[in-house]
Amino acid sequence: MKYYHLLYMLLAFTACQSKTEEHQHHHGSTAKVVAETDSVGRLEQEILAIHDSIMPQMSELMRLKKAVSAKIEAAKDEAGRKEGLAVSSELEQADQAMMSWMNQYNGDTLKKLQPAQAMTYLRDQHGKVKDMGQIMQVSISHAKAYAHP
């Protein structure tokens, strides 16, 4: 009788241990999904923060477009005119980079993607928004140097 009692306890212990491991595995899996979702959210916030820090520069870019155009019109020599046209082209590229990025960025689809796919998309967007910011800064710097030497 003690033998059956011991065997029963061993089986019960093994069954409980198996359930505990399964429970921990399930929660470990859930924790991984939550961590991945948090990472997606953090990266998306970082991307939007970069965009938001660049967006106010659009008004300065527009102001500089006008100033550069006026200086091109007033240029007395071909070299000054050529430089102005190059600067104007940079400003236009920066403007287009911002508009293109905003038109192609699709944050709504993130909820439909698996976390790994969302992270891949966001890493790509992170690079694009940083590049766009760099284009914006360089063009504004060149325009300031040209329009207000």
Side-chain angles (χ1 to χ4, degrees):
M1 185 72 152
K2 283 186 175 185
Y3 178 74
Y4 288 114
H5 184 52
L6 184 60
L7 184 60
Y8 176 75
M9 287 187 61
L10 183 61
L11 286 172
F13 175 76
T14 304
C16 287
Q17 185 68 26
S18 176
K19 287 284 186 196
T20 301
E21 287 170 2
E22 182 180 309
H23 183 74
Q24 287 171 342
H25 177 71
H26 174 72
H27 282 293
S29 217
T30 302
K32 182 179 177 188
V33 170
V34 169
E36 288 173 344
T37 302
D38 287 349
S39 294
V40 167
R42 280 193 300 274
L43 186 53
E44 182 181 28
Q45 286 175 348
E46 183 178 333
I47 289 166
L48 295 176
I50 292 169
H51 167 265
D52 292 348
S53 72
I54 298 167
M55 195 63 189
Q57 296 175 18
M58 288 300 289
S59 61
E60 183 175 14
L61 186 134
M62 294 304 163
R63 183 185 60 75
L64 285 167
K65 275 185 171 185
K66 289 179 184 177
V68 167
S69 290
K71 188 158 182 183
I72 291 170
E73 292 295 320
K76 305 270 191 250
D77 63 345
E78 189 60 29
R81 191 170 159 68
K82 275 186 168 181
E83 181 184 357
L85 291 172
V87 168
S88 180
S89 178
E90 284 183 354
L91 290 171
E92 187 59 36
Q93 288 173 357
D95 186 20
Q96 286 301 311
M98 173 65 85
M99 295 307 135
S100 294
W101 184 82
M102 289 190 320
N103 285 329
Q104 65 81 44
Y105 180 75
N106 197 352
D108 294 341
T109 61
L110 290 175
K111 294 175 182 78
K112 298 174 187 171
L113 298 175
Q114 293 296 319
Q117 293 170 314
M119 287 300 289
T120 299
Y121 176 75
L122 288 173
R123 284 185 193 107
D124 179 58
Q125 292 304 308
H126 189 267
K128 287 179 180 180
V129 78
K130 287 189 79 151
D131 290 346
M132 181 257 298
Q134 184 68 27
I135 291 167
M136 182 79 70
Q137 289 174 347
V138 168
S139 68
I140 287 174
S141 175
H142 289 167
K144 285 178 177 177
Y146 175 76
H148 310 293

